[in-house]
Amino acid sequence: MNTAADFSSTAFREPHTLKQHIFDTLHFYYPACIDQKNGGYIHEYYDDGTVKNTHSKHLVSTARFIYIFSVGALLDGPDWCKEAAQHGIRFLQNSHYDREHGGYFFEIADDGEVKDDSKQAYGHAFALLASSIAYQAGIQEAKETIEQIYDVMEKYFWEDAHGFYRDEWDASWSASSLYRGQNANMHMCEAMLSAFEATRDKKYLDRAYTLAKGVTQQLAERSGGMIWEHYDTDWQPDWDYNKNNTKDEFRPYG
């Protein structure tokens, strides 16, 4: 086991080593992650690189693949970095996107069947982050996705009276969850910063500022200076949400 002193002196403090580590990671996934048959990426692997699951296509995982390959392109990596990111943007637009109602499905199967048709702010935040970095990497079609996600978030998720995004809708935008959460807003803040960096449109920076200030000041005041995770519809802390549920990986207690 490395001590703190050992870690502080490792080569991972050197930019060229970090860059090489990034490309080593990309090579671990590519080209095995490209689903040539159904589009998008294959998401799940064992530690040795063996494919674990070819059937599920999760919005967050799709976005993360787009992000890392876009970073590879920005670091002047091989041509396949940009091509792999474009591959993901096309899948995001053609398969995750709900052409009937708008917004992005949370999970679909490899055959295109929708497995989880909920519209979640958390997933949309990752899609916005991915499309923003892809646009920075020179993938022009990602600009449409940036604008599309922002418009959906404004129309359905933004609660102007509170200054935060609500968490979840059903597929047709007919019913909204009573749950409110810090996590989706934190990720949306990050995504808005990336969208600003990609487009230089100040509306994204302004929204990031509103979210950051609201969470670290307004919400923190309601929870004794802590950044609490879970809230009710009035954005008051829900101290007991998931208290006895250890299975929810997206909304853990605390």
Side-chain angles (χ1 to χ4, degrees):
M1 180 180 294
N2 287 338
T3 65
D6 292 332
F7 182 79
S8 66
S9 62
T10 64
F12 278 95
R13 297 175 68 87
E14 300 298 328
H16 69 275
T17 303
L18 290 171
K19 186 174 180 179
Q20 183 59 52
H21 187 62
I22 290 170
F23 285 115
D24 288 345
T25 302
L26 293 179
H27 277 289
F28 174 85
Y29 290 107
Y30 184 88
C33 70
I34 304 297
D35 189 339
Q36 300 287 4
K37 178 181 178 181
N38 301 297
Y41 308 104
I42 296 170
H43 291 186
E44 297 182 35
Y45 303 83
Y46 292 104
D47 288 347
D48 64 357
T50 304
V51 173
K52 178 182 179 182
N53 174 12
T54 64
H55 304 301
S56 298
K57 303 290 178 70
H58 198 287
L59 178 59
V60 174
S61 295
T62 295
R64 284 173 167 163
F65 270 114
I66 294 169
Y67 186 91
I68 63 172
F69 285 123
S70 297
V71 168
L74 286 169
L75 292 175
D76 300 320
D79 289 343
W80 54 257
C81 288
K82 184 176 180 180
E83 292 168 1
Q86 285 179 307
H87 177 81
I89 287 291
R90 287 193 295 269
F91 189 77
L92 189 67
Q93 294 174 336
N94 295 333
S95 297
H96 278 290
Y97 184 67
D98 181 354
R99 297 191 178 280
E100 180 179 2
H101 300 292
Y104 291 80
F105 294 126
F106 202 57
E107 188 175 2
I108 58 178
D110 57 3
D111 61 1
E113 182 181 352
V114 178
K115 296 181 69 174
D116 183 346
D117 65 2
S118 64
K119 308 290 175 59
Q120 299 193 26
Y122 178 80
H124 282 70
F126 277 92
L128 178 58
L129 181 69
S131 54
S132 297
I133 198 74
Y135 188 57
Q136 291 182 58
I139 301 173
Q140 296 301 312
E141 56 265 42
K143 179 74 179 301
E144 177 186 349
T145 309
I146 296 172
E147 296 169 347
Q148 196 175 64
I149 294 170
Y150 180 84
D151 290 344
V152 164
M153 296 302 297
E154 285 296 289
K155 184 174 181 179
Y156 295 109
F157 289 96
W158 183 247
E159 295 188 294
D160 195 54
H162 298 287
F164 300 106
Y165 292 103
R166 68 176 67 204
D167 257 72
E168 184 176 343
W169 285 90
D170 66 352
S172 63
W173 310 108
S174 301
S176 172
S177 169
L178 298 179
Y179 175 83
R180 301 290 186 270
Q182 178 276 146
N183 191 41
N185 284 275
M186 178 269 288
H187 283 292
M188 191 57 72
C189 179
E190 177 190 22
M192 289 290 172
L193 289 172
S194 187
F196 170 70
E197 291 172 350
T199 66
R200 312 313 292 182
D201 188 330
K202 195 170 179 290
K203 70 183 180 184
Y204 300 112
L205 184 62
D206 290 342
R207 182 52 53 81
Y209 177 83
T210 298
L211 292 171
K213 183 179 180 181
V215 170
T216 61
Q217 295 185 32
Q218 180 183 340
L219 294 186
E221 289 176 358
R222 300 175 186 177
S223 52
M226 298 183 293
I227 304 297
W228 195 250
E229 187 74 13
H230 312 295
Y231 297 84
D232 61 21
T233 54
D234 293 321
W235 284 94
Q236 296 299 319
D238 185 342
W239 303 109
D240 294 322
Y241 187 87
N242 269 345
K243 190 170 185 177
N244 298 311
N245 178 14
T246 61
K247 303 297 184 182
D248 194 331
E249 60 181 316
F250 295 110
R251 297 175 184 173
Y253 170 73

